[in-house]
Amino acid sequence: MSNIKDSQGDVWEVFVQSKPGLPHKHAGSVHATDKEMALQNARDMYTRRNEGTCIWVVPLDAIVSSLPEDSGSFFDPSDDKAYRHPTHYVMPDGAKHI
Amino acid sequence: MDNTKKLEEFQAKIDADTKIEPKDWMPEDYRKHLQRQISQHAHSEVIGMQPEGNWISRAPSLRAKVVLLAKIQDEAGHGQYLYSAAETLGKSRDEFIEELQTEKAKYSSIFNYPTLTWADMGAVGWLVDGAAIVNQVSLQRTSYGPYSRAMVRICKEESFHQRQGYEIMAHMAKGTPEQKAMAQDALNRFWWPSIMMFGPHDSDSPNTGNAVKWRIKRETNDELRQKFIDKTVGQAEVIGLTIPDPDLKWNETRKSYDFGKMNWDEFWSVVNGNGPCNRQRLKHHIAAHKNGEWVRKAALAYAAKQKEIQNLKLEIRN
Amino acid sequence: MTTKEALINYCLRIGDTSLILGQRMSEWCSNGPVLEEDIAMTNIALDHIGQARTMLTYAGVLEGKGRTEDDFAYKRNEREFYNSLLSERPNGHFGDTVVRNFLQSAYFYHLYTALSSSKDELIAAHAAKSLKEVTYHLRHSAEWIVRLGDGTDESKNKVQTSINEIWEYTGNLFEMNDVDTLLIKEGIAINQTEIKSKWDKTVDEVLERAKLIRPTDAYMQTGSLKGMHSEYLGHLIAEMQFLPRAYPDAKW
């Protein structure tokens, strides 16, 4: 993606925390040539409407993603593990606060 | 897996309204269609900054100035979100910009009309953004994940844009006779190009078939146009302006407005380069891009030097 | 001159500088070197115009004749503006703009830091709020000075020339007259010489990081305290004021 002759800079993914205590959530991406520029661009792009208390920027190529063909082996095995969810368990009538 | 099977699975996903994500298999035509549509949408946002930018320095009050600036800034932002969505399809922003500048890619033809008076800021916000919003609300449900997410964000931000334009129109319509005339003149000039923004009639639109089948488009050009007209007629009445279409009439059976014939010769003439501002808009974009070249090069060179220093530090530490 | 009269003038100096700089920055819209920077520059323009609105409104309140922010922005003539000479410099290329903004932001940063404890409550509140904004402007422009100064040979030459050419307008930032004398005595304004030494330090630090050379102080242009400006200002306000001037009976 970086074409040194005339480039818009690399792509950075932006994660914004909207309130203290909440997880950072993917907001979108920006182009930038360095860390500080990425941070500032993310601030100017994604927090114009009071949307943030903290920003993370991550170079796109530092993100490792599972692939669509992985999804069967990655995610389907948890389909039949209903015992991981509280609704799996039968509580005696009248039991409270559990 | 052979392509027929892949295609079947792909269509099944589309039919089940499961979003397609960048790494998923997709037919080449789907990818191409999206690249074309999303980048065209991005270019429109970016070129669309110019006709409104034309009035920032002359906004008649400081409030009007900040509102207009914030709105145009959003448009730059929307262009940015859309380029980002388009880039997930495997082309760089550089390439998209080059396609725009070499006229391989188009942008919405409406921006080839000039903004002649301050009332045009009203008309553009009310009608042009209004039409765009009808289209974008529909596109929130588009089948490609990154495009859909960009649209959700854009629709959220756009909500003040149309109000900003309508407020200007309403204000001018009840202002001095000169102001009212200016408002009516702006409506007269922007009405027809605005309703033609939705594109040709469904029967003349070669791309609609696949786009609907793949759920890139969720509603057709004519459906969206009708929605916009039905919404807008009442708004014009409220502020006492007249829509320049003698054939505009409520149709009780259709529960919609009938409207007059659009001038598609003019539409295609503008699309093909003969609008009052086609050359000006492109020239402006190319000049800004060219003037920024040394800045982009400097930023890259600086980043490369910093990386080198960083590597050197690591070497020394090891 | 009463304290009130002095304070009105002081508000106009700050407000006009913000207004003119905001107007200049808004000229960048759709002209930025990359889309992200276009958005950043618009943010800066919005901050400045917002700051101007507070100061011009306050000037009107102090004056008590019913003049609004728009009366001040749109109905004064060239000789009635008190903005810094720096703020009205044309945008030029991106480097020219970055340098102008950096020098002005560094000034605002130290001015607002000091004015946060002004005895005038509104000035203090305005300074505290604006300080957050100009802290960001300073950071943004300083990083660009460094990138351009330490980028390519071309960018280094360009930005050094920008600094050399604009330098003669920096002295004006620190000029004082009897308005200052009076307001300093009242604890409302700040002695500009105090800001100057801090400004020097900020500027030196950034120029050093950017591997750029600070010009030696030679002749400094003057005039803004008396409402005397470059020829550029007249054009800027003619354009800005066009509509209210052309349609004096209209409300917008």
Side-chain angles (χ1 to χ4, degrees):
Chain A
M1 201 150 286
S2 43
N3 155 21
I4 209 77
K5 234 178 74 212
D6 177 19
S7 161
Q8 305 271 315
D10 293 330
V11 176
W12 301 63
E13 296 299 331
V14 179
F15 300 82
V16 177
Q17 182 191 44
S18 59
K19 271 188 209 146
L22 291 183
H24 288 64
K25 206 173 139 197
H26 185 238
S29 55
V30 291
H31 281 254
T33 51
D34 58 60
K35 290 188 266 191
E36 175 69 19
M37 195 196 289
L39 203 54
Q40 291 189 9
N41 287 349
R43 179 261 189 194
D44 285 321
M45 285 293 310
Y46 292 104
T47 64
R48 295 202 301 279
R49 288 175 166 82
N50 272 326
E51 292 131 317
T53 49
C54 182
I55 305 173
W56 291 346
V57 286
V58 183
L60 175 61
D61 57 14
I63 291 180
V64 184
S65 167
S66 65
L67 297 173
E69 49 267 39
D70 296 332
S71 75
S73 62
F74 267 47
F75 309 118
D76 291 352
S78 68
D79 279 358
D80 61 355
K81 313 276 194 303
Y83 47 79
R84 289 204 173 101
H85 301 282
T87 46
H88 180 70
Y89 301 90
V90 184
M91 294 291 106
D93 287 343
K96 282 181 187 162
H97 308 301
I98 177 157
Chain B
M1 210 176 355
D2 64 19
N3 266 5
T4 334
K5 183 93 194 304
K6 279 185 185 162
L7 198 60
E8 270 171 25
E9 279 185 9
F10 173 81
Q11 191 62 48
K13 263 168 102 175
I14 298 267
D15 294 342
D17 263 336
T18 304
K19 298 277 186 241
I20 307 300
E21 293 295 336
K23 290 194 160 72
D24 291 341
W25 184 87
M26 59 187 85
E28 217 29 50
D29 286 346
Y30 177 81
R31 181 185 301 275
K32 287 226 173 80
H33 188 107
L34 279 171
Q35 282 177 338
R36 191 174 52 78
Q37 180 170 332
I38 304 174
S39 68
Q40 182 173 324
H41 199 160
H43 299 327
S44 301
E45 296 280 356
V46 169
I47 295 291
M49 295 168 72
Q50 291 181 39
E52 291 182 280
N54 182 35
W55 280 92
I56 295 172
S57 65
R58 292 176 291 172
S61 72
L62 295 182
R63 176 179 180 269
K65 195 187 288 288
V66 291
V67 168
L68 185 62
L69 255 177
K71 173 172 186 277
I72 302 174
Q73 183 189 45
D74 275 350
E75 269 143 29
H78 298 167
Q80 203 275 1
Y81 304 157
L82 286 160
Y83 282 127
S84 294
E87 281 178 285
T88 63
L89 292 157
K91 251 194 213 179
S92 69
R93 198 201 284 177
D94 269 342
E95 289 172 274
F96 287 123
I97 290 176
E98 194 183 311
E99 287 177 357
L100 168 68
Q101 296 188 344
T102 54
E103 297 182 62
K104 279 190 204 110
K106 297 226 180 290
Y107 54 86
S108 178
S109 212
I110 191 83
F111 302 120
N112 290 319
Y113 290 91
T115 53
L116 301 177
T117 72
W118 173 251
D120 291 15
M121 295 303 98
V124 168
W126 176 35
L127 303 174
V128 177
D129 285 273
I133 289 166
V134 168
N135 190 31
Q136 286 165 345
V137 164
S138 174
L139 282 171
Q140 289 182 104
R141 296 187 301 127
T142 190
S143 59
Y144 187 56
Y147 193 24
S148 157
R149 289 192 286 276
M151 278 301 130
V152 170
R153 197 174 179 98
I154 288 171
C155 284
K156 217 167 83 191
E157 295 187 352
E158 284 261 354
S159 51
F160 89 82
H161 292 189
Q162 198 189 10
R163 284 173 165 236
Q164 170 263 354
Y166 189 56
E167 187 189 78
I168 291 175
M169 287 304 249
H171 200 80
M172 291 185 75
K174 66 173 174 13
T176 64
E178 269 173 319
Q179 283 177 301
K180 177 158 190 183
M182 244 190 255
Q184 183 62 52
D185 170 60
L187 172 57
N188 293 349
R189 281 181 288 113
F190 276 96
W191 173 254
W192 291 103
S194 295
I195 65 170
M196 286 193 278
M197 275 174 72
F198 294 98
H201 285 303
D202 298 342
S203 48
D204 307 319
S205 181
N207 293 317
T208 299
N210 270 343
V212 170
K213 187 178 88 188
W214 289 329
R215 299 199 179 170
I216 294 173
K217 277 187 88 136
R218 303 300 304 246
E219 286 160 285
T220 68
N221 295 352
D222 284 330
E223 287 164 357
L224 292 167
R225 179 166 22 240
Q226 186 70 57
K227 250 189 200 176
F228 171 70
I229 292 172
D230 290 348
K231 271 171 51 159
T232 310
V233 174
Q235 294 166 1
E237 281 167 9
V238 168
I239 58 175
L241 294 179
T242 311
I243 288 176
D245 178 359
D247 297 325
L248 193 72
K249 208 170 74 228
W250 179 251
N251 180 326
E252 190 53 41
T253 3
R254 287 204 307 125
K255 297 278 179 225
S256 268
Y257 281 94
D258 291 334
F259 52 95
K261 257 198 156 106
M262 291 169 275
N263 182 349
W264 293 108
D265 289 341
E266 179 188 314
F267 177 80
W268 288 115
S269 168
V270 175
V271 168
N272 292 323
N274 299 323
C277 301
N278 295 55
R279 273 169 292 281
Q280 180 190 334
R281 301 288 184 241
L282 215 52
K283 232 172 143 176
H284 178 118
H285 191 273
I286 292 169
H289 190 69
K290 205 159 176 287
N291 291 337
E293 192 180 347
W294 70 275
V295 178
R296 295 190 296 275
K297 279 186 180 166
L300 282 169
Y302 172 75
K305 283 186 204 171
Q306 293 308 105
K307 227 171 244 169
E308 237 172 77
I309 295 170
Q310 193 65 31
N311 290 342
L312 217 60
K313 276 187 195 158
L314 283 176
E315 259 174 51
I316 294 166
R317 219 184 293 159
N318 293 338
Chain C
M1 185 175 36
T2 63
T3 307
K4 198 162 89 179
E5 284 164 352
L7 187 52
I8 292 169
N9 184 270
Y10 200 69
C11 289
L12 293 180
R13 273 194 222 167
I14 298 174
D16 288 348
T17 301
S18 305
L19 175 65
I20 302 303
L21 198 58
Q23 178 81 357
R24 282 285 185 232
M25 287 313 286
S26 69
E27 291 169 18
W28 269 103
C29 192
S30 81
N31 291 298
V34 287
L35 207 42
E36 281 83 353
E37 191 54 32
D38 219 298
I39 291 161
M41 288 196 279
T42 313
N43 268 348
I44 294 171
L46 284 168
D47 286 345
H48 282 308
I49 297 169
Q51 289 163 12
R53 293 178 72 185
T54 310
M55 280 294 96
L56 299 183
T57 302
Y58 189 39
V61 171
L62 288 167
E63 189 188 52
K65 290 180 189 161
R67 282 209 279 179
T68 63
E69 57 180 35
D70 287 335
D71 291 328
F72 281 103
Y74 290 91
K75 292 187 181 151
R76 280 182 297 156
N77 293 317
E78 290 88 336
R79 294 279 280 101
E80 299 165 282
F81 275 80
Y82 297 99
N83 58 284
S84 71
L85 297 177
L86 201 57
S87 63
E88 72 200 44
R89 300 311 298 160
N91 285 339
H93 59 59
F94 184 75
D96 293 329
T97 289
V98 160
V99 166
R100 180 195 64 205
N101 286 10
F102 167 66
L103 298 171
Q104 184 72 57
S105 300
Y107 171 80
F108 270 141
Y109 176 80
H110 293 297
L111 177 75
Y112 286 140
T113 304
L115 289 183
S116 299
S117 45
S118 167
K119 280 202 178 136
D120 184 278
E121 266 176 42
L122 201 130
I123 294 280
H126 174 71
K129 179 174 178 282
S130 305
L131 180 59
K132 292 182 192 165
E133 294 170 346
V134 300
T135 301
Y136 187 75
H137 303 166
L138 179 58
R139 176 169 169 174
H140 184 82
S141 56
E143 290 302 319
W144 270 112
I145 298 264
V146 173
R147 284 185 202 107
L148 299 179
D150 196 14
T152 60
D153 288 344
E154 185 192 11
S155 69
K156 188 187 189 62
N157 290 337
K158 272 194 148 128
V159 74
Q160 183 68 61
T161 307
S162 307
I163 295 172
N164 297 347
E165 284 179 353
I166 211 165
W167 199 253
E168 63 175 321
Y169 300 99
T170 57
N172 168 251
L173 291 171
F174 308 100
E175 284 186 89
M176 290 190 280
N177 61 12
D178 44 358
V179 167
D180 299 80
T181 319
L182 204 161
L183 294 179
I184 291 168
K185 211 161 40 186
E186 300 282 339
I188 294 172
I190 179 79
N191 192 325
Q192 303 276 11
T193 49
E194 280 173 38
I195 300 177
K196 174 75 161 66
S197 55
K198 291 178 182 153
W199 180 87
D200 279 335
K201 200 163 160 268
T202 303
V203 170
D204 288 346
E205 277 168 11
V206 172
L207 292 187
E208 197 189 316
R209 264 184 71 208
K211 301 176 183 164
L212 292 166
I213 298 158
R214 179 186 167 124
T216 40
D217 286 355
Y219 182 75
M220 290 292 177
Q221 296 295 333
T222 173
S224 75
L225 297 188
K226 292 187 197 134
M228 294 197 308
H229 295 273
S230 65
E231 290 178 350
Y232 295 112
L233 184 72
H235 293 275
L236 183 149
I237 68 172
E239 191 176 333
M240 180 172 76
Q241 297 177 339
F242 153 66
L243 277 171
R245 297 278 198 191
Y247 303 93
D249 301 330
K251 290 204 176 63
W252 302 92

